[in-house]
């Protein structure tokens, strides 16, 4: 018999699967039609970050299995969170670049939306982490709120500038931290 956690995780997994599919289709289109659009290394690193974070989101959500008393509000929150991740992936990798010379122009023009959604994601994650229980939240230590705050600041800077060097530095810092965090917290390095 399926419990509430399984019920919720199945639907959220479908939505997360769509987000990953969207990113993979975008990358596949770059391989299939290499000269059709101008790629930008910063955009590709953001796609890598989103792919990695989306895959690990599903892993992180396993902590929700400890919740005994599910409410409609919590159910809605988890499904909304999955939808929100899909939305960020869709904004990061649009199906159509009409009006833009390539991904560089697109990302710099849509930076307010892109970084605004990333900031919202960081805030939503704060509540999601808390929903997994105060013990779990405390187990992440002081690093978690400090890192979330630093990432919000970096994303805010991204909304304010069109300078390519700054955008490159932001994505390198964000992706680098994410890889290190995953390696440390999830025993991926022996």
């Amino acid at each position: 018999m399926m419990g509430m956690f399984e019920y919720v995780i199945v639907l959220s997994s479908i939505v997360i699967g769509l987000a990953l599919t969207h990113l993979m289709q975008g990358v596949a289109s770059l391989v299939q039609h290499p000269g059709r659009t101008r790629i930008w290394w910063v955009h590709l690193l953001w796609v890598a970050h989103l792919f990695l974070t989306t895959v690990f989101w599903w892993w992180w959500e396993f902590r929700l299995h400890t919740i005994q008393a599910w409410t409609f509000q919590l159910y809605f929150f988890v499904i909304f969170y999955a939808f929100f991740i899909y939305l960020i992936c869709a904004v990061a990798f649009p199906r159509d670049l009409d009006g833009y010379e390539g991904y560089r122009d697109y990302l710099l023009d849509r930076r307010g939306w892109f970084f605004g959604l990333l900031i919202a994601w960081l805030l939503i994650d704060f509540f999601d982490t808390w929903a997994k229980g105060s013990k779990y939240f405390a187990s992440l230590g002081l690093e978690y709120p400090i890192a979330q705050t630093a990432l919000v600041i970096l994303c805010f800077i991204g909304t304010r500038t069109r300078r390519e060097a700054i955008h490159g530095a932001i994505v390198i810092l964000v992706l680098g931290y994410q890889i290190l965090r995953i390696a440390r917290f999830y025993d991926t390095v022996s």
Side-chain angles (χ1 to χ4, degrees):
M1 180 168 173
M2 190 185 298
M4 190 59 170
F5 168 73
E6 291 84 9
Y7 182 77
V8 173
I9 207 70
V10 165
L11 182 55
S12 63
S13 295
I14 291 169
V15 177
I16 289 301
L18 292 171
L20 292 171
T21 300
H22 189 88
L23 292 175
M24 291 184 291
Q25 285 177 333
V27 171
S29 73
L30 296 177
V31 173
Q32 294 166 348
H33 307 286
R36 186 177 288 173
T37 56
R38 295 175 65 188
I39 61 172
W40 188 33
W41 68 273
V42 171
H43 173 259
L44 291 178
L45 289 182
W46 278 119
V47 169
H49 168 72
L50 289 173
F51 182 82
L52 187 62
T53 305
T54 301
V55 166
F56 271 88
W57 179 87
W58 191 83
W59 181 259
W60 296 323
E61 291 307 282
F62 183 73
R63 296 274 184 193
L64 292 174
H65 80 282
T66 62
I67 295 174
Q68 300 299 316
W70 277 86
T71 64
F72 177 78
Q73 292 84 354
L74 183 57
Y75 162 76
F76 184 79
F77 175 78
V78 172
I79 300 305
F80 170 78
Y81 195 2
F83 164 76
F84 196 82
I85 291 169
Y86 175 83
L87 179 62
I88 295 170
C89 292
V91 168
F93 227 134
R95 295 192 188 275
D96 184 9
L97 282 176
D98 280 348
Y100 300 100
E101 289 184 29
Y103 288 104
R104 178 194 163 279
D105 292 337
Y106 171 80
L107 192 58
L108 291 176
D109 188 55
R110 308 304 296 164
R111 70 188 184 280
W113 271 101
F114 179 69
F115 286 108
L117 289 170
L118 287 178
I119 290 169
W121 186 352
L122 292 163
L123 297 174
I124 291 168
D125 186 69
F126 187 84
F127 291 106
D128 180 70
T129 302
W130 185 258
K132 293 171 183 145
S134 57
K135 279 179 125 174
Y136 175 70
F137 192 90
S139 75
L140 298 176
L142 198 54
E143 177 184 348
Y144 178 73
I146 291 171
Q148 294 295 93
T149 303
L151 293 169
V152 166
I153 291 168
L154 287 173
C155 289
F156 180 75
I157 291 168
T159 67
R160 308 310 297 167
T161 185
R162 292 182 62 88
R163 292 184 57 200
E164 291 184 41
I166 293 175
H167 281 273
I170 290 170
V171 73
I172 288 169
L173 288 170
V174 171
L175 181 59
Y177 175 73
Q178 187 69 358
I179 290 169
L180 289 173
R181 182 174 173 225
I182 288 168
R184 287 182 303 125
F185 282 100
Y186 297 100
D187 297 324
T188 58
V189 179
S190 297

